[in-house]
Amino acid sequence: MLARLGLSSTAELFSEIPERYRDPAIEIPPALAERELVELMRARAAENAADRAHPSFLGAGAYRRSVPSIAGSVVQRGEFATAYTPYQPEISQGTLQAAFEFQSVVCELTGMEVSNTGLYDAGSATAEAVLMAARITRRRSVAVLEPLHPGTLDVLRTYAYAADLDIEVLGAPPDPADPGPAIRGALDERHACLVVQQPDFLGGIVDLELLSRAAHESGALVVAACDPLALGLLRAPGDAGVDVVTGEGRDLAGPVGFGGPSLGLFAARRDHMRQLPGRIVGRTRELHGPRRADGEEEEPRTGYVLTLQAREQFIRRERATSNFSTGQQLIALAFTVALETLGPRGLGESAELCYQRAHRAAARIDELEGYAARGRGSWWFQEFLVRGPLPPAELLRRLKERGITGGLDVSGRPEPEAREAILVCVTEATPAGDVDALIEALASVAAEAGASP
Amino acid sequence: MELPQGLLYTAEHEWLAVDGDRGTIGITDYAQDQLGDVVYVELPEPGGRVESGSVFGVVESVKTVSDLYAPVSGEVLERNERLDDEPELVNASPYGDGWMLRVRIEDPQQLDSLLSPQAYEEVTRQEQRGGE
Amino acid sequence: MNVGERDIGARLAFDRGSPGRRAVSVPRWEGEAAPLPPAGLRRERLRLPELSQGEVVRYYTALSRLNYGIDSGTYPLGSCTMKYNPKVDDLMAALPGLADAHPLEAEERVQGILRVGHELQEALCSLTGFAASSLAPAAGAQGELAGVLMVKRALDDRGELGRRRRVLVPDSAHGTNPATAAMAGFTVTQIPTASDGSMDGEALERELDESVAAAMVTMPNTLGLWERGIDEVAARVHAVGAYLYADGANLNAILGRARFGDLGFDVAHVNLHKSFSTPHGGGGPGAGPVLCGAELAPYLPAPVVVSDEGGLRLGRPERSIGRLQQFHGSYGVLVRAYAYLRSMGLDGLRAVSEHAVLNANYLRALLVDAYDLPYDRGRVLHEVVLAGTRQRREHGVRTYDIAKRLIDHGFHPPTVYFPLIVEEALMIEPTETEPREAVEAFAGAMLAIAAEAASDPDLGRSAPCGAPIGRLSAAPAARRPDLRWLPPGE
């Protein structure tokens, strides 16, 4: 090959790099053979006390779910996993049709009219929703209703700084089932949107219809970041008047994976179709049907293409609706397969199982001497607040001594129910034995604390 | 390429038909041909204003997007609502059913700075040379 | 349903199966039932497919067979770096101790995955010549946003943000560059490309003043060429108080050969799914770490993995632009990139750039007589940008047709009509994982197509004829978008 290029050494390939910058000293460990690599990675994995054998009651935006196993096997197919963004539709119908399935699943689940093919995660999808609301309303302030995931709030601040928008944080309504009073009076014609989480960060179920009605009085759009499993049980946000639904799809697609890669859901009303960020797939037909052996043209077949592309960065450049390019397509595929495998009844039953297991666990903890376990508001889904005989940090530390991650310390939060509390999550995938182990450990911590306060 | 005589043109490929103080605006046959299949046209609502030389809307084709520049200043009287559902009219009939806006022309002097069909044809000829 | 279904696109999973059919069972709740929320808060209906598990698997298997991946064959998409992804890396990312780690788990319990993150940060810094990095960005475009926001906040701290509102971007740049600058609140000034394929130095000089916040430069650029005099560009950008950003989408061309930091760049992002070989998944997930010198380090997005007496922990740089995602980054992708890096070592990474550049030059040599080559230096780096201008002018065969014809020859087409400054562009990146025979086979197809364009131009215009589906009608799809399943009659 070098001879064909008229070169005597491969070093000449890089002759345009000025010599003083060429081949610098770089520190990278020497190459490992596959077998050595596997050993190394197993050792890294073993340094984590993080597999499912380890009881954990952490949720707060990342949930261990029962994902149908076929979701994981479908995405391993090389034709899906090793394709690029479907720029050539004739040889990308697998990715494209699956993405259309995804859009359809998301629309059905959220009760919305249009969906894109997914964004990075719930946090950045919610931020994109805020930017879209600002474009649509031409307003510059954003109201955020607590309790919202602190990670999401942090991302909103990052994106708001980019777009020079103001963020106003509204205190939590005492009961998320009656959010109107916290909103009326706080919103006015400056607000592009109100951002809310369903269920809220402390687990409470929000009445999105009352909330939307209150927010719409000032002309603000409503952006709701929803847990897709909870939507198996709860009213579709689109039916409740929400304008943009975002959410986190990762946990219904596969393992929590240290919180990423994730899958941002993003669905909206058809009126706002041309303002959506990200990629969108549309259904169309062949220009000409295939030719039969006798030369006759058959009926054109149905196919799928990336559409509404004039919104996107590679065409509109500095006036694009977003800079979004590579996204989370393979996770969207796993999400789609998982939901289509569960089907309407499976998803509903999973959501209800999650609800019942969490409520039963809370009731059992509440019965323990020295503990109070309460969900936030009138109705809650899978997370509840536990107060015990010791301050939250100390309680968690003693549970850790017993091999259990007890939950998240939320005692620094402003909501009254978070005071002195840990946030405990029980889902449909939490093994019953883990809940028993938690109950036992809590009892033993209480006994220990009683003995030596 | 079709280039009707009774119209005025801009170097950005819009045409203007003048009827008293009313003007009708669209894009030229040359422009629609360059864009390819038009899929969406974004236009201001009646009651709004357009400013001579400023962007008043956007026309999208499958692979490109172009700004629309107002030939004259004035109030928007009417927008072609048919384009909402049939943007392909811009391709099929750029000077007829594919018209975009009707405006009230505020300052007839602005008409003097617009191009004649011959001057516009020269613009397109130069663009084509530049493109090869 | 079977794999050979004639019009598989006409029936979605939603249109298949039968009411009541199930693919998986869910455990029944046997205990005491807590009351459910009242009807007004509860879902009324949920329409999802009702299929057996076998039907789901066959449907998606059938769909997968309509796709072309790097596992199927040569995929020379310029700028996208479609190279073989080692399967062992997927298995490593799926190890339960890594895949099941909860992002809010106490740091002492996730030291293993934090070690992966920390070593990856260090290795990326060493490879790019920077002092600090954050793995938080989910993809290249988010890495760009992080980098430009770091510049924004630094200017804010200097009290200069009010007057520095412009970002300079070459006209050969990816669309994400101007879109990112605009998203960060800046206006974009385009810098033309000179006839040698580098940025026009005089135009740059004219635009550089104290209203400039940053210049974003892809290195090497999208023509597959080294930006000549980049160190001088850096000096001039710095002289007016602005920052120089490196779009590292093409890092694979210079892996181990040259470093952004040494060349004078202040901040950069790299695409791990490109240079570090994680599967592209039909459009993600990827990861786009951002790297910078000491001056901008306090502004890095959160979190960064820091090492102190107590071990490794997630930290927030002092003046951080904040988070980009709820959690810490695309760790599943980061683990794959780390595994790749460890299995390559420095020599392996240098071999990557060497073979990638060798392949691109070999391909250039094989095709240079049959296609136009607008910015010709006699040599390219990782990719070559040809033009189908001759075929269009002489035979009415467009680059679009050439791409479709390549499908009939069994190849994925290269990137087409990009960069925008090249008419009828064919941007070809063979990557290092294509063996010589594959490069020659691809070149053979390109030469055959050039010959066909002359002898039988209609062949191109009606291609592809051997693909799972023919050319699709894009305009009606965009005019009256059909974007989701609806039941018949709705």
Side-chain angles (χ1 to χ4, degrees):
Chain A
M1 288 166 91
L2 284 173
R4 169 88 197 220
L5 302 177
L7 299 177
S8 53
S9 82
T10 53
E12 289 172 52
L13 294 169
F14 298 96
S15 58
E16 271 219 86
I17 302 175
E19 212 176 324
R20 60 188 176 286
Y21 304 120
R22 215 185 302 154
D23 297 336
I26 292 171
E27 286 167 39
I28 302 275
L32 300 176
E34 178 170 310
R35 191 171 297 195
E36 296 169 305
L37 175 72
V38 171
E39 270 170 39
L40 171 80
M41 297 308 288
R42 286 214 175 112
R44 292 277 182 275
E47 274 187 83
N48 293 342
D51 59 17
R52 290 193 177 212
H54 165 78
S56 167
F57 296 86
L58 281 169
Y63 304 100
R64 285 185 180 172
R65 298 258 180 251
S66 304
V67 180
S69 48
I70 73 165
S73 82
V74 166
V75 300
Q76 279 171 24
R77 292 192 68 86
E79 298 91 332
F80 282 130
T82 73
Y84 200 73
T85 302
Y87 291 138
Q88 298 290 341
E90 296 87 351
I91 45 174
S92 309
Q93 285 298 300
T95 297
L96 287 161
Q97 190 166 334
F100 191 86
E101 294 272 2
F102 170 80
Q103 291 173 184
S104 303
V105 164
V106 171
C107 286
E108 287 300 326
L109 193 59
T110 57
M112 302 302 287
E113 291 156 346
V114 293
S115 160
N116 62 19
T117 62
L119 299 176
Y120 305 129
D121 82 322
S124 56
T126 307
E128 287 277 11
V130 162
L131 299 187
M132 183 174 98
R135 285 196 297 275
I136 291 168
T137 59
R138 296 169 201 270
R139 298 178 179 187
R140 310 298 302 168
S141 287
V142 174
V144 167
L145 187 66
E146 289 278 33
L148 183 78
H149 192 286
T152 298
L153 183 53
D154 203 330
V155 179
L156 290 181
R157 290 193 194 282
T158 305
Y159 278 69
Y161 179 69
D164 301 308
L165 303 177
D166 295 321
I167 300 247
E168 289 173 27
V169 176
L170 310 185
D175 185 353
D178 183 22
I183 294 160
R184 281 203 186 78
L187 292 192
D188 56 41
E189 70 291 336
R190 293 170 304 120
H191 293 99
C193 62
L194 171 68
V195 178
V196 61
Q197 185 177 327
Q198 172 78 316
D200 71 27
F201 181 65
L202 298 178
I205 293 171
V206 182
D207 189 323
L208 291 175
E209 183 166 0
L210 295 180
L211 177 134
S212 300
R213 220 181 282 154
H216 288 158
E217 282 171 20
S218 65
L221 301 180
V222 173
V223 175
C226 301
D227 177 344
L229 183 78
L231 294 184
L233 175 67
L234 300 180
R235 184 158 190 211
D239 295 348
V242 168
D243 300 285
V244 188
V245 180
T246 63
E248 180 52 66
R250 176 195 58 236
D251 303 333
L252 274 176
V256 293
F258 206 47
S262 307
L263 169 62
L265 308 179
F266 192 105
R269 307 227 168 261
R270 198 170 168 94
D271 293 349
H272 303 145
M273 174 173 75
R274 289 174 198 275
Q275 289 295 336
L276 255 60
R279 303 197 190 276
I280 299 176
V281 171
R283 180 160 51 187
T284 183
R285 300 183 77 73
E286 286 175 303
L287 286 165
H288 304 285
R291 288 214 177 270
R292 287 205 308 253
D294 62 8
E296 279 297 295
E297 195 174 303
E298 293 178 28
E299 270 297 289
R301 293 166 295 186
T302 312
Y304 299 83
V305 292
L306 291 171
T307 192
L308 299 174
Q309 290 186 300
R311 302 163 296 112
E312 291 188 60
Q313 43 81 17
F314 69 97
I315 290 179
R316 227 183 188 96
R317 296 177 82 84
E318 63 267 28
R319 289 162 60 205
T321 55
S322 169
N323 69 346
F324 196 80
S325 182
T326 287
Q328 311 297 109
Q329 210 56 53
L330 199 65
I331 302 176
L333 172 65
F335 178 87
T336 309
V337 174
L339 264 81
E340 293 187 342
T341 300
L342 284 167
R345 287 197 298 163
L347 187 72
E349 288 166 5
S350 292
E352 215 172 309
L353 185 66
C354 178
Y355 182 94
Q356 293 296 358
R357 282 193 165 167
H359 280 72
R360 183 70 204 128
R364 288 175 68 192
I365 294 169
D366 198 47
E367 283 164 12
L368 287 176
E369 188 70 36
Y371 291 92
R374 300 270 187 283
R376 176 173 140 76
S378 298
W379 305 97
W380 55 276
F381 184 58
Q382 61 192 347
E383 287 167 299
F384 52 94
L385 298 138
V386 172
R387 286 194 186 83
L390 295 167
E394 183 58 20
L395 179 58
L396 288 174
R397 196 185 65 75
R398 298 215 188 171
L399 287 171
K400 201 191 297 170
E401 284 172 2
R402 289 160 172 81
I404 292 173
T405 301
L408 187 69
D409 182 351
V410 290
S411 56
R413 292 194 57 91
E415 294 83 11
E417 52 271 76
R419 213 168 289 145
E420 290 301 300
I422 61 172
L423 184 66
V424 176
C425 177
V426 173
T427 74
E428 81 286 4
T430 310
D434 285 9
V435 176
D436 295 341
L438 175 66
I439 301 280
E440 201 176 301
L442 286 170
S444 105
V445 168
E448 191 177 270
S452 54
Chain B
M1 185 184 77
E2 204 190 335
L3 199 63
Q5 283 304 309
L7 306 179
L8 295 168
Y9 296 87
T10 71
E12 289 83 25
H13 310 290
E14 290 83 14
W15 55 261
L16 177 76
V18 182
D19 177 13
D21 69 344
R22 291 182 171 225
T24 301
I25 301 170
I27 66 168
T28 64
D29 190 24
Y30 173 82
Q32 71 77 22
D33 185 59
Q34 293 287 309
L35 282 166
D37 293 333
V38 171
V39 298
Y40 181 63
V41 186
E42 189 180 293
L43 297 171
E45 293 297 325
R49 276 185 54 82
V50 298
E51 298 294 336
S52 161
S54 295
V55 174
F56 71 85
V58 168
V59 57
E60 293 181 6
S61 65
V62 176
K63 297 281 177 199
T64 61
V65 50
S66 288
D67 286 327
L68 297 165
Y69 293 88
V72 288
S73 304
E75 184 195 341
V76 178
L77 301 171
E78 194 184 348
R79 58 182 271 265
N80 186 354
E81 291 178 5
R82 279 185 72 189
L83 298 182
D84 294 348
D85 293 322
E86 299 170 86
E88 57 269 42
L89 291 174
V90 175
N91 296 116
S93 173
Y95 302 105
D97 290 343
W99 68 274
M100 292 177 178
L101 282 190
R102 287 199 220 290
V103 298
R104 189 184 314 282
I105 301 171
E106 264 172 13
D107 178 4
Q109 281 192 342
Q110 286 179 346
L111 301 179
D112 299 342
S113 60
L114 297 177
L115 305 176
S116 67
Q118 292 69 32
Y120 175 68
E121 196 172 10
E122 184 54 32
V123 169
T124 61
R125 215 175 288 139
Q126 277 181 4
E127 267 194 20
Q128 274 172 322
R129 266 202 299 276
E132 276 302 315
Chain C
M1 215 242 1
N2 61 59
V3 166
E5 192 172 322
R6 193 191 95 89
D7 193 4
I8 186 173
R11 287 169 66 228
L12 296 164
F14 283 84
D15 304 309
R16 297 164 192 267
S18 150
R21 195 171 289 171
R22 302 194 59 156
V24 70
S25 63
V26 172
R28 197 176 289 279
W29 172 247
E30 304 277 359
E32 193 184 322
L36 293 175
L41 291 176
R42 273 215 321 272
R43 177 169 279 280
E44 284 164 19
R45 64 152 191 210
L46 179 59
R47 297 181 301 201
L48 288 175
E50 297 180 79
L51 302 168
S52 72
Q53 197 168 115
E55 285 177 296
V56 176
V57 168
R58 281 192 187 159
Y59 175 62
Y60 281 97
T61 302
L63 290 190
S64 77
R65 293 178 57 167
L66 308 177
N67 252 19
Y68 186 105
I70 189 67
D71 285 1
S72 320
T74 303
Y75 209 128
L77 266 184
S79 200
C80 303
T81 315
M82 290 298 284
K83 54 170 149 179
Y84 170 71
N85 320 118
K87 299 297 175 192
V88 65
D89 299 347
D90 295 344
L91 297 175
M92 297 302 95
L95 287 172
L98 300 174
D100 284 335
H102 192 284
L104 300 174
E105 185 59 81
E107 281 150 348
E108 71 260 29
R109 288 174 170 273
V110 288
Q111 289 292 298
I113 199 158
L114 291 178
R115 195 171 313 284
V116 168
H118 191 253
E119 289 182 11
L120 185 59
Q121 283 178 186
E122 306 258 294
L124 293 175
C125 282
S126 190
L127 275 168
T128 56
F130 281 122
S133 70
S134 165
L135 306 173
Q142 209 183 28
E144 286 180 34
L145 181 64
V148 174
L149 287 180
M150 288 160 65
V151 166
K152 183 171 184 174
R153 181 147 286 176
L155 292 172
D156 216 347
D157 282 359
R158 278 163 46 182
E160 296 177 21
L161 184 57
R163 66 182 152 96
R164 292 191 186 268
R165 301 307 300 191
R166 289 199 302 147
V167 169
L168 310 184
V169 178
D171 57 3
S172 61
H174 296 110
T176 49
N177 290 179
T180 298
M183 211 169 163
F186 294 104
T187 59
V188 175
T189 303
Q190 198 163 290
I191 305 295
T193 297
S195 57
D196 74 343
S198 289
M199 245 186 313
D200 181 335
E202 282 172 30
L204 180 72
E205 194 65 56
R206 271 197 305 279
E207 296 296 346
L208 270 177
D209 59 30
E210 300 210 332
S211 71
V212 173
M216 299 177 83
V217 177
T218 304
M219 191 69 197
N221 67 28
T222 61
L223 294 163
L225 300 174
W226 180 259
E227 271 297 332
R228 287 180 174 158
I230 189 65
D231 49 351
E232 286 159 40
V233 168
R236 282 147 72 190
V237 167
H238 293 153
V240 297
Y243 294 93
L244 186 61
Y245 182 96
D247 181 324
N250 297 337
L251 174 66
N252 54 308
I254 54 170
L255 260 185
R257 308 274 162 192
R259 311 193 302 175
F260 299 137
D262 300 345
L263 298 170
F265 285 96
D266 300 291
V267 52
H269 85 270
V270 297
N271 305 65
L272 295 186
H273 47 292
K274 298 182 180 177
S275 301
F276 295 86
S277 187
T278 71
H280 284 65
V290 59
L291 304 117
C292 64
E295 187 191 344
L296 291 176
Y299 301 97
L300 280 168
V304 292
V305 185
V306 289
S307 171
D308 56 24
E309 322 76 66
L312 298 166
R313 62 183 175 79
L314 292 166
R316 187 181 181 101
E318 193 187 343
R319 294 286 302 149
S320 175
I321 57 163
R323 282 184 178 275
L324 300 163
Q325 301 188 69
Q326 271 186 346
F327 296 116
H328 316 315
S330 298
Y331 262 82
V333 176
L334 301 175
V335 169
R336 285 174 172 87
Y338 174 81
Y340 176 77
L341 206 132
R342 294 302 307 265
S343 54
M344 298 304 277
L346 181 59
D347 292 343
L349 295 175
R350 286 201 167 130
V352 164
S353 47
E354 182 178 302
H355 290 136
V357 172
L358 183 62
N359 273 347
N361 278 287
Y362 187 50
L363 192 62
R364 178 195 168 282
L366 297 176
L367 295 178
V368 71
D369 293 334
Y371 291 89
D372 290 338
L373 178 53
Y375 294 89
D376 189 8
R377 284 188 195 171
R379 189 84 49 81
V380 294
L381 285 168
H382 63 298
E383 65 196 2
V384 56
V385 180
L386 300 172
T389 32
R390 197 186 314 167
Q391 286 70 23
R392 190 189 67 182
R393 191 176 56 242
E394 293 175 4
H395 313 297
V397 173
R398 298 169 305 155
T399 281
Y400 186 83
D401 305 322
I402 294 169
K404 299 307 179 195
R405 194 66 194 127
L406 270 168
I407 294 174
D408 283 337
H409 281 264
F411 292 96
H412 195 286
T415 298
V416 291
Y417 297 103
F418 184 82
L420 303 177
I421 54 170
V422 175
E423 248 192 293
E424 301 290 325
L426 286 149
M427 185 197 210
I428 315 175
E429 179 178 14
T431 81
E432 76 281 5
T433 59
E434 293 307 304
R436 176 180 180 156
E437 302 78 52
V439 175
E440 287 171 350
F442 177 77
M446 288 288 289
L447 294 174
I449 291 166
E452 277 168 23
S455 62
D456 190 359
D458 281 340
L459 215 48
R461 286 193 287 263
S462 58
C465 54
I469 200 160
R471 287 191 194 188
L472 292 158
S473 174
R479 283 175 186 142
R480 286 167 283 276
D482 175 8
L483 306 179
R484 58 168 296 190
W485 171 85
L486 281 172
E490 232 178 88

